[in-house]
Amino acid sequence: MKTSYASVFEFGYLCADEEQIQQGYTYIPDSDFADLERRCLTDDNSGFSQIMQPRIKQGCHVLQVQNYVGVIFVPSGRHIEVLPKTGIAEWDDANHSSNIVVRKTARKSLLMMLQSLREFRHIALDSSDIETLHLPLLEIFIARFLDSVNTVRKRGLRSDYVEQQENLLAKRGKLNVSMQIKHNFVHKQRFYCEFDEYLQNRPANRLIKSALLKVQRYCHQQRNQRLLNELLFYFDEIPVSTNIEADFSQLNLIRGMNYYQAALAWTRLILHDQSPVSMKGQSNAPSLLFPMESVFEAYVAQQLRTILPAPYSLRTQSRAETLAEHQGEGMFTLQPDMIIEHRELRLAVLDTKWKRINAYSRKDKYGLYQGDFYQMFAYGHKYLSGKGTLALIYPKTQDFREPIEHCFDFDKNGRLILWLIPFTVSVKDEVTKDELHHHEVSYLLKKLETSSH
């Protein structure tokens, strides 16, 4: 049986020619390829051209995915998972087309980093989850959602007072005079009443039921299907939401309903197609995609904030400075990813780059981008007044395992210097986060102390 998904790494290639698979391309059916190509070439303000671009490689028409990862849906009902490649230290170019271990590592790395994003903080990984990482990314998302709903089921669906209107044989609650005249002018024995009834038909339960029905279209893994059917049976008497926006606005998690939070967080993602990039365009095929630049930045910031020792503190996304002023008004906001401060005194400016560099290729300038250096130069002069430490943080790879030993001087006196530092993404199960990043943070702090003297 053919799989319902295709798997490709960022910057990899999709093609509709099965003979090209041996070249490392990922095969997708003609209809899916044609739809994706049309979406790339259609100017419908969906921004899909940022996700993938048409190419011709060795005479073969291909689509190259960019540095966005996640899930792309196609109208056929299949989907494409795009996994991170750049930050995987264990990457093996020779075996990437068939290496299951590499895909599991990529999924684990991505899930770990996604927990740094506000929308995905409810993702939890434990030792049992690691065994399921051979599943496609979408099925892992579905499994986490179903587990959160199952928690709600075990704790019990909460009821609420719901206003009802019915034409009854006995008066109950308050008589609706206008409806009584309209419906019971002849039937004097009836009473058109308004009353409150304690029911499970409340916004939170309706929204979860709607999300369950939506993922039913994409759920193919046996364990997920079994649990989904059990949950739908349990929610059988709950109606679906007829107005999703209104139900979200009426959510009221009263005391004792904290166990609903994870399920509702997933529900919001599912029903709103919420992610850093959620594109439908004219094809009405949603995509759950994440720009790796943003994911990596959030991950590094979270780790640094967790293990940065006192009295240091971390500020993210500062907008305090501009590149220039015109008639007293600042223009071109400078927004570095992170600033390390000591009692509100700025000590260092950090910027993350989801790029691969080669620490062993000095003659090629390590594969660095001149534009990144211009950017750091501006940060240094505006945020540090031209004196202090700057750092560019890249994902740790086989070609960049240790910080480049010597700094880059922005002036002859060494007052403004830049360091290049690798940051580990993929981890071994037995290594804690503190142990994982201790070396990297210690190195950075050591350079800060050296430059401050």
Side-chain angles (χ1 to χ4, degrees):
M1 183 178 68
K2 291 186 177 180
T3 60
S4 60
Y5 76 101
S7 183
V8 64
F9 288 92
E10 57 177 334
F11 302 112
Y13 298 96
L14 301 171
C15 74
D17 187 349
E18 292 190 76
E19 295 180 359
Q20 299 293 332
I21 296 179
Q22 295 180 357
Q23 297 184 13
Y25 302 161
T26 297
Y27 169 77
I28 58 174
D30 283 328
S31 58
D32 292 345
F33 186 93
D35 175 76
L36 292 173
E37 186 176 39
R38 179 184 59 79
R39 293 168 70 183
C40 289
L41 299 174
T42 300
D43 185 16
D44 61 356
N45 296 320
S46 70
F48 197 79
S49 58
Q50 302 174 41
I51 308 303
M52 59 178 62
Q53 297 179 358
R55 296 276 191 269
I56 297 179
K57 297 280 289 184
Q58 299 179 357
C60 177
H61 286 270
V62 296
L63 296 172
Q64 184 182 27
V65 298
Q66 303 302 299
N67 63 332
Y68 287 78
V69 297
V71 180
I72 302 172
F73 295 94
V74 286
S76 66
R78 289 180 287 266
H79 69 274
I80 299 164
E81 70 166 3
V82 184
L83 299 173
K85 170 183 177 179
T86 300
I88 302 175
E90 296 85 357
W91 177 260
D92 181 359
D93 285 307
N95 298 318
H96 75 275
S97 61
S98 60
N99 195 331
I100 297 176
V101 175
V102 172
R103 283 185 167 80
K104 290 175 65 175
T105 302
R107 293 187 186 110
K108 179 182 176 183
S109 300
L110 177 58
L111 292 171
M112 181 178 61
M113 287 191 288
L114 285 179
Q115 294 176 84
S116 306
L117 296 176
R118 182 183 63 183
E119 300 90 345
F120 273 74
R121 286 177 183 169
H122 48 276
I123 290 181
L125 283 176
D126 54 36
S127 57
S128 62
D129 290 321
I130 305 306
E131 299 303 318
T132 66
L133 288 175
H134 66 279
L135 298 176
L137 195 59
L138 180 61
E139 293 288 355
I140 296 175
F141 287 159
I142 291 175
R144 296 283 66 77
F145 165 59
L146 296 179
D147 287 341
S148 67
V149 177
N150 198 33
T151 298
V152 172
R153 178 182 71 164
K154 291 176 180 178
R155 298 283 298 274
L157 294 181
R158 295 296 293 267
S159 300
D160 198 5
Y161 287 101
V162 180
E163 183 179 290
Q164 303 287 311
Q165 291 189 5
E166 289 188 36
N167 205 6
L168 305 173
L169 291 174
K171 186 175 179 296
R172 181 180 178 184
K174 183 175 66 174
L175 184 70
N176 187 320
V177 177
S178 62
M179 298 300 286
Q180 175 72 14
I181 296 173
K182 180 178 179 180
H183 291 277
N184 297 331
F185 185 76
V186 176
H187 304 286
K188 304 293 185 181
Q189 75 281 11
R190 288 188 171 272
F191 301 88
Y192 206 100
C193 302
E194 295 179 353
F195 55 93
D196 290 336
E197 193 167 3
Y198 199 58
L199 301 172
Q200 293 178 339
N201 179 15
R202 62 185 301 164
N205 296 334
R206 291 196 297 268
L207 290 167
I208 293 175
K209 171 72 173 289
S210 300
L212 288 170
L213 291 173
K214 185 170 182 178
V215 302
Q216 189 177 32
R217 292 179 288 170
Y218 305 106
C219 180
H220 299 284
Q221 198 265 340
Q222 187 176 4
R223 182 262 184 191
N224 285 346
Q225 286 180 330
R226 182 172 62 252
L227 181 55
L228 176 60
N229 290 333
E230 292 175 4
L231 293 172
L232 285 173
F233 179 79
Y234 185 75
F235 277 77
D236 184 57
E237 295 185 1
I238 307 296
V240 297
S241 174
T242 56
N243 190 330
I244 290 173
E245 295 300 329
D247 278 348
F248 272 119
S249 66
Q250 295 171 16
L251 277 179
N252 181 25
L253 297 186
I254 59 176
R255 190 173 181 179
M257 288 185 66
N258 288 338
Y259 63 93
Y260 266 79
Q261 289 183 350
L264 287 173
W266 276 111
T267 296
R268 193 179 298 273
L269 286 164
I270 293 166
L271 296 182
H272 283 171
D273 298 313
Q274 266 190 358
S275 67
V277 178
S278 183
M279 301 177 180
K280 291 187 179 180
Q282 296 178 351
S283 66
N284 199 32
S287 298
L288 189 65
L289 294 163
F290 309 90
M292 281 307 304
E293 286 279 0
S294 300
V295 175
F296 183 55
E297 174 192 331
Y299 173 70
V300 172
Q302 183 195 59
Q303 300 306 315
L304 287 179
R305 184 174 282 115
T306 300
I307 60 181
L308 198 64
Y312 297 104
S313 62
L314 192 74
R315 183 184 300 274
T316 57
Q317 296 298 318
S318 175
R319 300 173 61 90
E321 305 291 343
T322 58
L323 184 61
E325 287 192 4
H326 178 63
Q327 295 182 329
E329 181 180 351
M331 297 183 65
F332 309 117
T333 300
L334 294 173
Q335 189 171 329
D337 294 340
M338 289 162 277
I339 299 175
I340 292 181
E341 297 179 337
H342 180 272
R343 296 187 177 93
E344 298 186 1
L345 175 66
R346 299 169 184 168
L347 294 183
V349 175
L350 319 177
D351 223 50
T352 58
K353 301 296 179 184
W354 186 253
K355 299 173 182 176
R356 299 185 71 160
I357 65 172
N358 190 341
Y360 310 108
S361 181
R362 181 172 178 177
K363 66 177 182 179
D364 295 326
K365 300 178 182 177
Y366 306 110
L368 297 168
Y369 291 81
Q370 185 173 337
D372 294 340
F373 273 60
Y374 282 132
Q375 182 184 47
M376 298 305 292
F377 181 79
Y379 290 161
H381 277 272
K382 290 295 183 175
Y383 279 90
L384 302 177
S385 300
K387 181 180 180 180
T389 302
L390 306 167
L392 281 172
I393 300 177
Y394 296 87
K396 187 175 184 177
T397 63
Q398 289 182 339
D399 295 327
F400 189 34
R401 292 185 174 276
E402 299 291 337
I404 291 180
E405 185 176 355
H406 299 286
C407 66
F408 295 80
D409 295 319
F410 279 117
D411 61 39
K412 294 181 180 180
N413 298 319
R415 292 176 300 183
L416 185 64
I417 57 176
L418 171 68
W419 296 96
L420 303 186
I421 301 174
F423 207 84
T424 306
V425 174
S426 56
V427 302
K428 302 298 182 182
D429 297 340
E430 66 275 8
V431 179
T432 66
K433 290 181 180 179
D434 285 357
E435 293 171 339
L436 173 67
H437 299 115
H438 176 76
H439 171 69
E440 295 153 351
V441 174
S442 297
Y443 182 88
L444 180 59
L445 294 179
K446 181 179 178 181
K447 297 305 179 185
L448 275 177
E449 294 171 359
T450 301
S451 62
S452 63
H453 288 309

